[in-house]
Amino acid sequence: MTTKLSPAAPDASSQTTITAEIGAAHTAAAGHRGVLLDFAPYRSSLLRHPTKDLRHADPDGVELVAPVFGQGEVDPLEADLTIQRDGEPIGERMVVTGRVLDGDGRPVRRQLVEIWQANAAGRYVHKRDQHPAPIDPAFTGVGRCLTDDDGSYRFVTIKPGPYPWRNHRNAWRPAHIHFSLFGTDFTQRLVTQMYFPGDPLFALDPIYQAIPDQGDRDRLVATYDHDLSEHEWLLGYRWDIVLTGSHATWREDDQDA
Amino acid sequence: MPDKLLPTPAQTVGPFFSFGLCYEGDSQLVPPGSANAIRLHGVVYDGAGHPLPDALLEIRQADADGAIPVVAGSLHRDGHTFTGWGRCGTDPAGHYSFTTLLPGPVAAEAPRFFAVTVFARGLLDRLFTRCYLPQDAALHDSDEVLAALEPERRATLIAEQDGPSSLRFDVHLQGAGETVFLQFPRHADIA
């Protein structure tokens, strides 16, 4: 089952068909918040979404306690994706920073944030990415950091490019950075994608559009922040991330959050 | 308490997560060959019964004494510290395998389980499930989650002993034998 681009099955659907399906799916899902698991315009979701309702469970034991990651495990240099190899990566140098909060507004402190992304040409270093765009030998596209006491994270990187995939004919992903996040409970785990403001591919993309509410979709888009930009060096983007609330009981020392 | 903030929506982990998320030793909660080490392994399947070569599982568990570790060391494993967390991507045959310890009971009469998170290309949000131990069959009726399930659904949450120190836990995202996936109260806040 080898395919040339991403391993999704080739689909002859046109963008017009997919866009119409997105519209119909949004109408059918009116009022739904967050992402849908079953979103037919994203063809790979068809056989990979549960068909039965998620079962309610009260978190127990290990589910109330997130894994811990220490300063010794993450080198501060891992937050700068532009210095991991010899040479300067090609592309638009940028910083992305923001706060990780839980649903009650508390900062998620000293937790692991992992990112991975394509290079400026829209190519991943992954061996199965065969998009015929150049690999940048100076760019791996992988970063890690720990949030600070304020819940803030910060990465220096290169703006990723859009890239084609095989969901349908002439399908292109908007430029994005993948984010992986932990909260204070194991049940707060989140993997998502950060997008860039004003991308013309938003309306066409079935992964971004799997979130039916426009306000929810907007919360995946970073804000350009000129005060973060650095003179003759890089452009600044700000993106805050909110995890679900913690199940843990509030304590007195949480109040200064 | 401040006003509730709306959570950031999830997105699929995509096809190329392995270069960003997988790392050496990620699935080895204890070094292979250590005393009392077990294998927790299985295959992740889609609704057509095909194995997924691009899925990722994470587990969170108590240590052998039932204590929940709150220690660093899951990224740079030192060979001694048991951190209770691991990550494993599936191989081209859809197979994952952790080297770990059997969790101890967190409370008296509580059946032991691994908390499991499932990610995959095509899956737009992570799924939570639990892998209970077949050794605890006598306690399963008293477990709130298991007791509420009809027998064939309940079976999807219980590992199979397939060797002296090996547990098999397959995950079916869809179809006959679809794994029971869990939603916790704070998740329902946003739905």
Side-chain angles (χ1 to χ4, degrees):
Chain A
M1 223 178 68
T2 307
T3 52
K4 187 164 171 274
L5 297 175
S6 79
D11 188 302
S13 300
S14 68
Q15 182 69 56
T16 306
T17 302
I18 292 290
T19 301
E21 287 185 33
I22 289 171
H26 285 183
T27 302
H32 178 95
R33 301 307 301 266
V35 72
L36 294 163
L37 290 178
D38 174 15
F39 196 69
Y42 177 26
R43 298 299 190 231
S44 297
S45 78
L46 288 170
L47 290 171
R48 296 180 173 207
H49 71 272
T51 60
K52 301 181 184 342
D53 288 340
L54 304 182
R55 288 281 181 149
H56 168 84
D58 288 317
D60 195 7
V62 291
E63 289 160 343
L64 291 165
V65 185
V68 172
F69 301 95
Q71 296 288 350
E73 298 187 279
V74 182
D75 192 306
L77 298 177
E78 291 183 82
D80 189 341
L81 286 74
T82 66
I83 56 167
Q84 292 171 2
R85 295 274 179 92
D86 289 339
E88 288 282 328
I90 303 293
E92 181 180 328
R93 194 181 295 108
M94 57 173 277
V95 60
V96 55
T97 186
R99 294 179 77 204
V100 184
L101 303 171
D102 76 8
D104 301 315
R106 290 174 285 193
V108 174
R109 296 172 169 142
R110 296 175 290 279
Q111 261 299 3
L112 180 66
V113 180
E114 297 161 283
I115 64 169
W116 68 103
Q117 62 169 95
N119 68 23
R123 178 90 184 251
Y124 288 92
V125 293
H126 195 281
K127 62 181 183 295
R128 282 162 68 188
D129 185 358
Q130 295 180 39
H131 171 36
I135 289 175
D136 184 343
F139 190 71
T140 59
V142 184
R144 286 193 197 98
C145 75
L146 298 179
T147 55
D148 66 14
D149 282 345
D150 190 38
S152 295
Y153 70 89
R154 184 178 192 274
F155 292 102
V156 174
T157 185
I158 296 291
K159 187 177 179 185
Y163 57 83
W165 60 309
R166 290 204 150 183
N167 189 70
H168 56 279
R169 184 158 169 74
N170 206 13
W172 290 79
R173 295 286 344 270
H176 60 276
I177 298 176
H178 295 268
F179 272 72
S180 164
L181 303 131
F182 294 86
T184 52
D185 297 8
F186 190 66
T187 58
Q188 292 179 280
R189 189 82 176 86
L190 176 70
V191 167
T192 187
Q193 300 177 23
M194 185 208 91
Y195 298 89
F196 293 86
D199 196 313
L201 295 169
F202 283 154
L204 310 179
D205 179 45
I207 292 181
Y208 177 72
Q209 295 291 339
I211 300 160
D213 182 88
Q214 181 68 53
D216 285 342
R217 287 197 295 276
D218 289 345
R219 283 184 290 109
L220 293 188
V221 182
T223 305
Y224 172 70
D225 184 340
H226 197 66
D227 290 335
L228 286 172
S229 297
E230 295 176 20
H231 180 66
E232 294 189 348
W233 186 242
L234 55 69
L235 293 172
Y237 289 87
R238 185 174 295 281
W239 189 51
D240 293 336
I241 301 155
V242 180
L243 308 179
T244 57
S246 166
H247 291 91
T249 315
W250 273 63
R251 294 183 326 218
E252 196 68 24
D253 61 358
D254 290 330
Q255 301 289 344
D256 62 352
Chain B
M1 191 178 283
D3 290 342
K4 290 250 172 62
L5 300 177
L6 286 167
T8 303
Q11 293 272 268
T12 176
V13 73
F16 303 130
F17 58 81
S18 63
F19 84 91
L21 293 180
C22 297
Y23 58 93
E24 191 178 348
D26 56 3
S27 64
Q28 295 172 5
L29 287 79
V30 297
S34 13
N36 302 319
I38 63 151
R39 176 172 71 149
L40 173 67
H41 75 121
V43 173
V44 183
Y45 294 100
D46 71 10
H50 296 131
L52 271 62
D54 41 22
L56 180 82
L57 264 62
E58 290 176 352
I59 59 170
R60 181 83 175 114
Q61 66 165 105
D63 70 15
D65 298 323
I68 299 163
V70 185
V71 289
S74 294
L75 290 174
H76 287 178
R77 303 210 186 262
D78 63 12
H80 300 283
T81 309
F82 186 78
T83 70
W85 182 78
R87 171 184 282 170
C88 188
T90 54
D91 68 15
H95 186 249
Y96 73 89
S97 181
F98 291 99
T99 306
T100 187
L101 302 172
L102 278 182
V106 173
E109 305 297 306
R112 299 167 290 176
F113 64 83
F114 298 90
V116 179
T117 327
V118 183
F119 304 86
R121 177 181 69 82
L123 178 59
L124 281 153
D125 196 1
R126 81 280 178 273
L127 295 169
F128 291 102
T129 186
R130 289 178 182 175
C131 169
Y132 288 87
L133 305 185
Q135 296 91 325
D136 290 354
L139 298 173
H140 289 169
D141 282 340
S142 63
D143 181 84
E144 193 180 70
V145 169
L146 293 179
L149 295 169
E150 47 276 32
E152 64 273 20
R153 297 279 284 147
R154 181 198 285 214
T156 70
L157 298 188
I158 302 170
E160 171 201 343
Q161 187 88 43
D162 72 338
S165 53
S166 180
L167 290 174
R168 178 161 181 140
F169 182 69
D170 289 344
V171 175
H172 295 263
L173 294 181
Q174 195 185 88
E178 180 176 309
T179 300
V180 171
F181 297 106
L182 303 175
Q183 181 181 55
F184 297 97
R186 299 301 297 261
H187 300 160
D189 288 352
I190 43 165

